[in-house]
Structures are given as structure tokens and as C-alpha cells.
Amino acid sequence: MRGKGSASVGSREARGLLSGTAGVVAFSLTLVATRAAEPAFGALTVGAGRAVLAAGLAVALLRRRGLPLLPPDGRVATIVIAATVVVGFPLLTSWALADVPVAHAAVVVGLAPAATAGFAVVLAGERPAPPYWAALGVGLAAVLAFAVVQGAGRPRLADLLVLAAVVLVGLGYAEGGLLARRVDGAVVICWALLAALPVTVPLAAAGLAAHPPRHVTVGAAAGLGYVSVVSMFLGFVVWYRGLALGGVARVGRLQLAQPVLTLAWAALLLGEPLTPLGAGTAMIVLASVALGRHGVHRGRRTGAGARRPSAGRRCRVLRGAHRGWGRVCPAGRQADMQEGFPGHDFDGSNPETRP
């Protein structure tokens, strides 16, 4: 029984890493697509308009599944996700990319794994083992050294905007990954997109009024389409699924490869040069990702084989972590469904087995 349970947990974490990798690849093109779209549409339109367009996809998916357009509970967590990854990160990076190259911003965004891991410790109670932190430290040191050499360490407003975006995205990833243990990741981002509409619609309208689209090229239109459909929707579907299955800190570490991929995309699609220093940083970062794969979590486990506390304790944990979600488990049986089987939907169905 123990061997079967361990194999199940290992398979779950492997699927989480696979989904997380797909999310990182999807997000690695975000800065490049944003830079391509910004001259034609303006930073505000690109930053907020992508969420408005993605909200249309969210409505279609929720209607197809017969789910409500807004969460019946857990609304505070949904608002946090909406404020961080739907509104904050896109706007701040769009403004920053109006002044700095993609390569400059990419190395600063490389700090996102540290932010995600930090919020995972605070919100999800995850405790990565020392090898995890050692591998993360090596990767982050390489990213920071690259940033300093390239001039990213100089105090600029754009740097501060990207750093603020990194903090917000770390919080949004951790909160979304925690919520995705109980609600399918696709539903999490759908609800966040719709919850953000009262903010994103006026901002997008203001952006269009201040900067009407001009000289729209195929590349600019493709860039806006990419950040709307992939970066703002499909990428989060697989990313939150990966965080829920593999653990926020473990899967979040995969973001170390994102700036390297972004540098490669920038060189290929925008003609930005890939220097020997960038190539060397790429090898170090990718090596740290591979070595950190075995940074096993200790303390409270988050997989299917986790030891479950009492029903009352689980209800208190849910109330603390998601405010309103704890109200759905007044009895031990319901608490078992919500906390004991992470990755299940709010109605008890498992997104892993749903057709």
C-alpha cells in the first residue's frame, strides 16, 4: 500500500512538473509579445485589454461547464489573484517595456521563483528541503549577476516597476496554486478574469482613448492576440494545474528557465542579440533547474499521500487560507473532500479524470 501510494504521489508530481513546464514555455513569450504589441496599441491597452479579451474565453468555458461566472465562495482569494496576475503584472511590465529592452526586463523577472517560493512558505505551509534552496540560490545568483553586468542593477523606474511586478506575480502564483488544489486551474483563472473586469474594462477604454491603435502590423496584432489568449488564459490553465499537482514551491522553481527562454525568443523574433554572457547564464540557470528537481519538501506534505489532520483543524486551515472556503466544510466528511484530496473541484469531482 505504501509503495502504491508513493507511486501515485510521484506520478502526480510528475504531471505537475509537466504542466508547469508548459506554463513556463507559454509565459516565456509574454514579454516579447508585449513589446511587439505596445507600439501599435499602447501600454495601457496591452496591459488591461488582454484581460478583457481573455474574459470572453472565460465566460465561454464556464458556461460550457455549467459553472457560475463568479465563485460561490473564496472570493477574497479570487480578488487577490485578479489584482496580482490579471491586473498588476501585465500593467507594470507593459509600462516597463516602453523604456527597457525585453532582455533587460527578462533578467529581473528571473527573480519570480524566489517570490513564489516565499509566498508558498507563508500561504501554503510548504517547506522545501535545503537542496531546493541551494539550487534556487545558484540560479538566482546567476540571474542577478547577469542583470548587474547588463546594467539592470542601476536604479531605474522601469526596474522598480518590474520588481513590483515580480512581487505581485509571486503572490498571485502562490494564491492561485493553493486555490487550484480545490478548484480546477482553468476555473481559477476564469473567475479571476471576470472578477477583474470592473477594473480592466475602464482601463482598456482609457488606453484606447489616449492611444488609439495606429500602424497596426501583423506582428503587433499577433502580439496582442498571444498575450490575450495564451499568456492571460491558456498559460494559466496549465500553470495553476501544475502548481496544484506538484506543489507551489517545487513547480514554481521552473520559472528559473523563463528568462533564458525569453532571451532566446527576443533574439529570434525581435533581433535582440544573444551574447555569450546570456548563453552562459542560460546554462547555469538550466543546470540549477535540473539539480533542484530533487529538493523534496519536508514538513507538511501537499500531495495525495499527505497526512490529514482532524476535520476541525482542516476547517480552520481552510478559513485561514481562503477565508470563505472554510465555510463549506462544517462536517468532517466535507472537510475530507476539500482538504484531503487536493486537486478536486468544489463539487468533489476530480479534474484529472473529468472527460
Side-chain angles (χ1 to χ4, degrees):
M1 294 295 292
R2 181 182 296 272
K4 183 177 180 180
S6 299
S8 176
V9 173
S11 174
R12 182 184 185 87
E13 291 180 346
R15 295 196 306 272
L17 290 172
L18 183 61
S19 292
T21 300
V24 168
V25 173
F27 293 147
S28 68
L29 268 163
T30 298
L31 295 181
V32 175
T34 300
R35 166 52 67 88
E38 189 274 333
F41 296 99
L44 190 56
T45 301
V46 174
R50 70 176 78 176
V52 176
L53 295 175
L57 299 176
V59 171
L61 187 144
L62 292 173
R63 288 302 189 193
R64 186 174 183 274
R65 292 191 179 184
L67 299 176
L69 296 182
L70 291 176
D73 218 333
R75 293 175 182 171
V76 174
T78 301
I79 291 173
V80 170
I81 298 167
T84 53
V85 301
V86 176
V87 178
F89 182 83
L91 283 175
L92 292 176
T93 53
S94 294
W95 285 328
L97 286 174
D99 295 325
V100 296
V102 169
H104 186 106
V107 293
V108 183
V109 172
L111 297 173
T116 303
F119 283 113
V121 172
V122 174
L123 298 177
E126 297 183 6
R127 299 177 61 192
Y132 169 90
W133 292 112
L136 180 65
V138 171
L140 290 178
V143 168
L144 288 174
F146 180 80
V148 170
V149 172
Q150 293 288 1
R154 292 177 297 180
R156 287 188 188 180
L157 176 59
D159 290 326
L160 297 178
L161 291 176
V162 178
L163 286 173
V166 166
V167 174
L168 291 180
V169 84
L171 174 58
Y173 284 170
E175 188 75 55
L178 190 57
L179 185 57
R181 294 177 186 171
R182 296 163 180 84
V183 184
D184 189 9
V187 178
V188 171
I189 189 59
C190 285
W191 282 342
L193 286 166
L194 296 181
L197 282 178
V199 176
T200 55
V201 169
L203 286 177
L208 288 172
H211 189 293
R214 55 175 179 247
H215 308 298
V216 179
T217 64
V218 173
L224 181 60
Y226 187 91
V227 295
S228 302
V229 176
V230 180
S231 300
M232 201 77 264
F233 186 72
L234 298 179
F236 276 105
V237 170
V238 293
W239 179 245
Y240 279 150
R241 185 185 186 88
L243 293 176
L245 291 173
V248 176
R250 179 187 292 274
V251 176
R253 166 190 45 80
L254 296 174
Q255 296 171 89
L256 281 169
Q258 185 171 322
V260 176
L261 293 173
T262 300
L263 289 173
W265 290 124
L268 180 64
L269 300 177
L270 300 179
E272 294 188 5
L274 180 60
T275 63
L277 179 62
T281 304
M283 290 188 290
I284 295 174
V285 170
L286 290 176
S288 71
V289 170
L291 293 174
R293 183 176 183 272
H294 301 291
V296 181
H297 294 205
R298 64 183 181 180
R300 195 184 76 184
R301 297 177 62 189
T302 59
R307 178 183 297 175
R308 290 179 289 170
S310 65
R313 171 59 179 163
R314 284 195 297 276
C315 289
R316 289 193 296 273
V317 169
L318 285 170
R319 287 192 185 99
H322 290 296
R323 294 85 181 177
W325 282 95
R327 293 196 295 271
V328 303
C329 58
R333 179 182 62 81
Q334 290 175 310
D336 288 343
M337 180 184 71
Q338 293 286 353
E339 177 71 9
F341 300 94
H344 286 61
D345 253 350
F346 69 93
D347 61 356
S349 61
N350 190 342
E352 290 297 304
T353 60
R354 183 188 298 112

